[in-house]
Amino acid sequence: MWNNITSCSLWRLSPSFMSSRIQTLTPLFIRHCKDFCKNRQTIWTLRNSLCQVLKKTVPTLTCNMFPHCFVSNKARYGQYKKTFPVLDGSIPSVCEHVFEENLRNSEACIQRYSELLCKVSKGGGESAILRHTQRNKKLLVRERLRMLLDDETFLELSPFAGFDLPYGDVPAAGCLTGIGKICGVWCVFMANDATVKGGTIYPISVKKQLRAQQIAIQNRLLSIYLVDSGGAFLPLQAELFPDQSHGGRVFYNEAIMSAMKIPQVAVVCGSCTAGGAYVPTMAEETVIVDKIGSMFLAGPPLVKAATGEDISPEDLGGASMHSKVSGCVDHFASSEKEAYECVRNIILTLNYELPPEETLEYDDPLYSAEELLGLAPRGYSYTLHIKLAEDHTNRLKAQASMMAAVACAAVPKITLVIGGCYGNESYAMCGRSFDPNFLFLWPNARVALVDSRHISTFPQARDDDCTGDDSELKHLKEKLDEENSAFHSSARLWDDGIILPQNSRKVIAQCLTIMKQQKYQIASLQHYPVIRL
Ligand code: COA
């Protein structure tokens, strides 16, 4: 349970549940919780609630913990420090072998993470890159982002989405998404990578775009679309259309976001066919790049087949046609560079009020973030001292209360899975179905209904699937092992990405700053979207 951390998971718990659970809160955990927080106040608040529970008083911490993270208040800081002195977090010698084992496992996981990241960053591969840059004279998606964003410290979301799916590898789901700053404003971006099958949309690409839009809606973030897409990936069209969360939902969301006054800006920086053409047409302001950008519902070959007419892409739906005749776009740019400058100008004209610059006062962590690699759990058969046997008393009721509290908590939520997240833990600790603002995994994390390492103890598995045959049991275990892995989860977009333990503090701080921005926006509904006439 304590392998996951959410902002709000520690309040309004039943005392019996909490007092049973607190036994598992080891000094190591407490010590390293500091690494997840911008300052110590959050962990102190957390410990405060735990202490209240131990005294058998039900905590009603109705406060949002996040504002504490932004308050630079020396008096309060001093008070917390006095009430809750820093614990001695030295690792007991009896646990050192666990630390070493975890460390080795983390190193192996990080190696896999790095190899995969390298593979994903090559998009559709060498020949597709050459076709994209030399024949089609377009910039690569990461070069585009470099021109668009203030700096390179953007938060990339789910880079492993699309990895090793039943229908093959789709690097980064053929679409980069993330949150970066433009002229000081945090914006969600969705950028097709046309080196992956012409930027066509796979089922996983739809899921990734929908998740990015959901983040934009939940956090009231301005959205930018860099569109370079051949529309639906036709061999998988049946999985892209027409269900509720299929392709059409992207356009539906665009309208809803517009009605919510969440500004959306698009750049047509490639050939945008069919579904790819609706995204810029439904955005509130759109820039098209001359000679590179085009938009049509059906391209020249289809026109030829349907009407017999020969027509060039430029005449059918090029930059001049759309900016002079159709009115589907608002700005004509003669180069990609000019287009991204134009987007930056558009953002400036929105007159966003930015959160004031703050000088935060906080202590640096007492221990190196690298140490987290030894604390990232490999397994639980040899974990630290834990008293479980109370689990049986009130578990169901306590979990139901916890789930209700997490679901209804009106505070921003960040979930970080640092170890096993099995079955109902995913609900009570704010997994995907409980709508956290952000959900990340460490590379060693395992997400599944059951822990594959316990498979042999499940009579059902042995009887029905394996009929006593050890090789079948082994095969089943291997399959579940793979399905438990963080990479399997991230490939399917059950999270917002895998992050390295050492980067947890940085990523969470970034999320906190991003979430804070919405306080400074006017988010009133205008009830109707911007419509091109
Ligand atoms: N579905 C599946 N695969 C597609 C595709 C689609 N809609 N559109 C393109 N591809 C594939 C191509 O087969 C090619 O695959 P390969 O690399 O394995 O050979 C790859 O994407 C790149 O296409 P290519 O035409 O060689 O590249 P390009 O940069 O010259 O053009 C497009 C890219 C998208 C502009 C062009 O392929 C196109 O117009 N496709 C048709 C789009 C369409 O009609 N969509 C309708 C959707 S409802």
Side-chain angles (χ1 to χ4, degrees), residues 212-229:
Q213 287 182 321
Q214 191 189 6
I215 288 176
I217 292 171
Q218 203 173 15
N219 300 287
R220 297 281 193 280
L221 294 170
L222 199 148
S223 301
I224 311 290
Y225 304 87
L226 304 187
V227 201
D228 186 354
S229 165

Side-chain angles (χ1 to χ4, degrees), residues 131 135-136 197-198 200 230-235 271 273-274:
R131 183 173 57 210
R135 195 189 73 189
N136 297 347
K197 292 281 183 193
T200 51
F233 182 75
L234 288 172
S271 180
T273 315

Side-chain angles (χ1 to χ4, degrees), residues 131-315:
R131 183 173 57 210
H132 183 90
T133 53
Q134 296 189 2
R135 195 189 73 189
N136 297 347
K137 309 256 179 294
K138 293 189 287 190
L139 295 175
L140 293 171
V141 63
R142 287 183 190 276
E143 292 170 338
R144 289 172 169 168
L145 291 173
R146 263 196 288 277
M147 287 188 174
L148 178 70
L149 302 174
D150 290 356
D151 50 48
E152 288 185 44
T153 57
F154 62 82
L155 177 66
E156 185 169 349
L157 299 168
S158 303
F160 299 143
F163 159 71
D164 198 20
L165 293 183
Y167 47 79
D169 266 342
V170 189
C175 169
L176 263 63
T177 63
I179 305 171
K181 271 189 180 173
I182 301 179
C183 304
V185 184
W186 287 108
C187 305
V188 167
F189 62 80
M190 287 153 259
N192 300 117
D193 181 352
T195 69
V196 181
K197 292 281 183 193
T200 51
I201 309 291
Y202 287 71
I204 194 71
S205 328
V206 172
K207 199 169 178 190
K208 193 167 176 182
Q209 281 206 30
L210 291 179
R211 173 62 191 155
Q213 287 182 321
Q214 191 189 6
I215 288 176
I217 292 171
Q218 203 173 15
N219 300 287
R220 297 281 193 280
L221 294 170
L222 199 148
S223 301
I224 311 290
Y225 304 87
L226 304 187
V227 201
D228 186 354
S229 165
F233 182 75
L234 288 172
L236 293 175
Q237 64 87 26
E239 291 172 52
L240 284 159
F241 176 87
D243 207 352
Q244 187 193 30
S245 292
H246 282 174
R249 194 73 181 181
V250 174
F251 318 130
Y252 169 88
N253 281 347
E254 280 192 80
I256 296 296
M257 287 159 74
S258 179
M260 290 174 76
K261 284 192 181 170
I262 296 176
Q264 296 166 91
V265 182
V267 180
V268 181
C269 47
S271 180
C272 301
T273 315
Y278 286 118
V279 171
T281 310
M282 292 193 71
E284 286 151 357
E285 287 207 49
T286 295
V287 187
I288 192 165
V289 186
D290 192 25
K291 309 266 185 322
I292 287 174
S294 58
M295 296 156 66
F296 19 68
L297 289 175
L302 271 185
V303 173
K304 172 82 180 163
T307 66
E309 185 187 354
D310 274 314
I311 188 161
S312 71
E314 202 53 35
D315 290 340

